[in-house]
Amino acid sequence: MGVPAWVWFVIAVAAFVVGGGFLLRDRAVLTSRNRERRRWAGLRGWQFAETDMALPRRWSGGAVAYYGDGVARDVVAGTTFTSDGRRKVYVYDLEAGGRVNTVIAAVQTRRKHPVVVELWVPSTPFQREHMPELLGPVGQRYAFVSDIAAARALITPDLVDATEEIGRDIAVVWVEEGWVLAAAPPNSSPSRLERLLRGIGEVADVVDPFDADADPAGEVPEQSADPAAEVEPQATPDETGTARGAKSDAEA
């Protein structure tokens, strides 16, 4: 005996309703994240953009290589203070394959390093076709590098100490050319991202200490092709140094 047509009709309607419910739920989450990120950018005096197609292609290592460069959503761009001075920052949701897989935070350094150093938590299931070379354990993380000899000079006890403070919820921290980047969970709050920016800012201070005698050729050139990269927003009254970063967390 065949299944009556009305049964298939009911199943189709139910599937449509369930699918629509999931879609509305996901849209509500995305809208909530958008509002939260926009508000955070406004409080910090930073720039906000809903979408940036080119930004993820600026980097090719770490979480960008793991998930694919995709599209940057809910992008925050500005500058912040570290103990060695003011640095440019980005925060954005990395969307690949139609879903937000991670939040990327980036802090700029003045120097471009000739090696990519990726520091992954051991629990990450590596699925990349072309992984960098395994250097070995670095503190509680594993280092994958593009050049072992160059990486050894960069990985110092101070770097290990700085990365240990970032937190185990951050799957990877990596150094690529003129940036220190990290990948946070998709649902990370602004307060968590504030702490993450301070953490990778400390890593940036280790790998790129400000030095008046530094060779100007080692500085990172301005990236005029990206309007967001040129933003130099006004500092908020609380943005006077890393010692007051906790207050920014509370406000976020």
Side-chain angles (χ1 to χ4, degrees), residues 226-248:
D226 185 350
E230 303 299 326
V231 175
E232 294 292 344
Q234 296 297 316
T236 61
D238 293 327
E239 194 180 12
T240 55
T242 54
R244 301 182 64 177
K247 187 172 181 181
S248 298

Side-chain angles (χ1 to χ4, degrees), residues 17-33 35 99:
V17 171
V18 171
F22 281 122
L23 183 62
L24 290 174
R25 184 198 64 182
D26 291 345
R27 179 60 183 167
V29 170
L30 289 173
T31 302
S32 174
R33 183 186 297 128
R35 288 198 302 266
R99 60 177 294 181

Side-chain angles (χ1 to χ4, degrees), residues 59-121:
W59 303 287
S60 59
V64 176
Y66 186 83
Y67 292 110
D69 50 29
V71 179
R73 303 288 190 193
D74 296 334
V75 183
V76 172
T79 60
T80 193
F81 281 104
T82 69
S83 60
D84 264 359
R86 196 175 185 88
R87 297 184 186 273
K88 193 171 295 182
V89 302
Y90 284 110
V91 174
Y92 66 91
D93 292 346
L94 179 60
E95 181 183 287
R99 60 177 294 181
V100 173
N101 296 292
T102 187
V103 182
I104 302 294
V107 174
Q108 192 177 37
T109 60
R110 295 192 316 138
R111 299 171 179 82
K112 286 187 176 182
H113 295 282
V115 60
V116 176
V117 176
E118 302 181 9
L119 303 174
W120 289 88
V121 294

